[in-house]
Amino acid sequence: MTDHIYWQDGSLFLLDQRLLPFKKKYVECKTLKDVAEAIRNMTIRGAPLIGIVAAYGVVIGMKEVIRSKGRATEKDFDRISTTLLKTRPTAVNLLWALKRMQKAYLMAKDDPSLEGSMLDEAVSIHVEDIENNRMISLFGAELIEDGDTILTHCNAGALAMGGYGTALGVIKAAHESGKKIKVIATETRPYLQGARLTAWELREAGIDVEIVPDNHGGILCYKGAIDKIIVGADRIALNGDTANKVGTYMLALCAYRHKIPFFVAAPISTFDKDIKDGSYIEIEERPEKEVKYIMAVPITLKDIKARYYSFDITPHRYITNIITEKGIIKKPFKKYIHQLF
Ligand code: MRU
């Protein structure tokens, strides 16, 4: 499942994740505005994929400027970068990818092949993400035992990355090595990443999957129905505090209380070396209409207020290990996270 993003004839094509698994339709992004909108309106989502799409967005933005003015200045780069950065604030992979694109721009800015160099960098970010996913998955699969029932939240699969997946990658690699795994996926209201995307991806991979409403963490832990929990991340602070899809914190608390291992799987691009703990992470708030409607069907009265924090912070003490492409991080996280960079 790596056909959810591709570059063709100067356009970026994105599989519209808002319609999955019922419809497979691609959105073509020809302008910077198209790319920014595709990130903002969640045509695509997932921290690493947001970074990859933003990198291609820079290529498209630069191309637009070069077509209209003949060259792209640092000021043009900054405007393009700021437009993309404003789309979604929590996933640090976005900022990370833009910094890499800035380096590539500064190296090649006076070069006639600037456009080509920028595209090469975007492709490298994309390809490296897939390779990192593979490494994370191989390391993480060692933590999974034959016969495990694993709960996951949101979608940290191929659809959220360049390809393969982090949390789902670990599960897939364990399955591919012959371990029998059962997955419980939370539905992940209101966008339903779990019910629509994770369940679909795991079904395609031939893995046994069952969905549950988001409020089932407590009862499942209480009944001893889960052996492990594994999730992805949108930003990880230097002490291991982790931002991920809202509801993750609640699951981590339940896991801690019931002594169930709780793993976070993420590439190093998800670590923010500028923040010492999770209190510095900006939590995205999304429009209340996304809570008040499920797939265009209203679920409450028009004038009822709604609130939607898209992410929450899981304090590091509730996380057993963090799995990266460089290996499995043990506690104390603070000590080992510093060694990643
Ligand atoms: O709002 P989303 O769908 O972009 O949120 C995605 C998540 O929270 C994922 O768990 C996270 O990005 C880690 S895996 C890509």
Side-chain angles (χ1 to χ4, degrees):
M1 191 179 299
T2 49
D3 60 350
H4 61 294
I5 167 170
Y6 64 90
W7 178 265
Q8 192 176 291
D9 302 330
S11 287
L12 182 65
F13 289 83
L14 302 170
L15 183 58
D16 191 340
Q17 298 194 21
R18 298 168 301 179
L19 307 177
L20 291 174
F22 309 110
K23 240 188 214 169
K24 245 184 141 183
K25 188 177 157 222
Y26 285 85
V27 170
E28 180 179 1
C29 300
K30 289 184 187 169
T31 63
L32 173 67
K33 203 166 154 237
D34 293 342
V35 178
E37 190 49 24
I39 300 174
R40 191 177 300 108
N41 71 18
M42 295 186 59
T43 298
I44 62 93
R45 27 65 51 197
L49 186 60
I50 291 170
I52 294 164
V53 168
Y56 285 112
V58 170
V59 179
I60 290 175
M62 299 295 274
K63 193 174 65 159
E64 281 182 287
V65 174
I66 294 169
R67 294 287 176 279
S68 77
K69 300 197 308 187
R71 65 185 285 266
T73 62
E74 270 185 71
K75 217 169 148 194
D76 293 315
F77 181 91
D78 291 345
R79 179 188 51 80
I80 292 165
S81 182
T82 307
T83 302
L84 291 162
L85 194 59
K86 281 201 296 211
T87 53
R88 294 197 72 191
T90 304
V92 77
N93 309 65
L94 173 56
L95 178 63
W96 173 87
L98 292 172
K99 280 185 181 164
R100 268 192 60 169
M101 294 306 285
Q102 183 184 32
K103 258 194 197 157
Y105 166 73
L106 292 175
M107 296 262 291
K109 67 182 165 76
D110 300 319
D111 203 325
S113 62
L114 173 65
E115 255 182 82
S117 305
M118 299 300 281
L119 180 57
D120 287 350
E121 187 63 4
V123 172
S124 297
I125 290 173
H126 186 174
V127 171
E128 283 167 31
D129 185 66
I130 302 172
E131 288 164 2
N132 290 338
N133 277 216
R134 288 279 177 182
M135 291 311 295
I136 290 168
S137 304
L138 289 177
F139 285 124
E142 295 296 312
L143 299 168
I144 309 299
E145 283 158 76
D146 190 23
D148 272 350
T149 297
I150 303 171
L151 184 136
T152 189
H153 185 51
C154 195
N155 172 265
L159 288 166
M161 328 280 164
Y164 202 68
T166 52
L168 295 194
V170 169
I171 291 167
K172 285 180 195 170
H175 168 79
E176 284 160 15
S177 75
K179 292 175 188 165
K180 195 168 160 32
I181 316 288
K182 180 183 162 78
V183 179
I184 298 182
T186 53
E187 60 179 351
T188 322
R189 278 270 295 138
Y191 185 84
L192 303 173
Q193 287 95 331
R196 295 188 303 104
L197 309 177
T198 294
W200 181 58
E201 266 198 64
L202 291 173
R203 161 74 63 84
E204 294 277 297
I207 297 169
D208 183 6
V209 60
E210 179 184 19
I211 64 163
V212 290
D214 290 329
N215 45 16
H216 273 46
I219 186 66
L220 290 170
C221 289
Y222 182 82
K223 278 178 162 287
I226 306 169
D227 299 302
K228 282 160 189 121
I229 297 183
I230 179 161
V231 296
D234 286 81
R235 192 182 294 227
I236 303 174
L238 286 174
N239 68 347
D241 289 355
T242 294
N244 191 49
K245 181 53 57 197
V246 68
T248 302
Y249 177 29
M250 228 159 49
L251 291 169
L253 281 174
C254 281
Y256 190 76
R257 167 69 181 80
H258 290 271
K259 299 188 169 47
I260 294 168
F262 184 94
F263 303 122
V264 170
I268 293 164
S269 55
T270 303
F271 289 78
D272 186 340
K273 50 181 172 206
D274 294 327
I275 56 167
K276 63 179 195 312
D277 62 51
S279 67
Y280 294 89
I281 300 176
E282 183 182 349
I283 300 292
E284 174 183 13
E285 272 196 65
R286 294 200 54 93
E288 62 169 18
K289 70 171 191 299
E290 293 185 9
V291 180
K292 292 172 67 173
Y293 294 82
I294 298 185
M295 307 194 113
V297 178
I299 59 159
T300 189
L301 298 172
K302 240 190 175 131
D303 59 347
I304 297 286
K305 282 192 263 175
R307 190 185 307 194
Y308 175 15
Y309 294 117
S310 194
F311 302 96
D312 61 23
I313 309 289
T314 300
H316 60 95
R317 80 180 65 91
Y318 302 119
I319 299 169
T320 312
N321 293 112
I322 305 175
I323 308 158
T324 75
E325 65 270 34
K326 286 201 181 160
I328 296 169
I329 306 182
K330 297 191 174 79
K331 290 185 172 169
F333 292 144
K334 222 182 198 161
K335 175 172 166 201
Y336 296 113
I337 288 174
H338 270 102
Q339 297 172 7
L340 289 175
F341 311 109

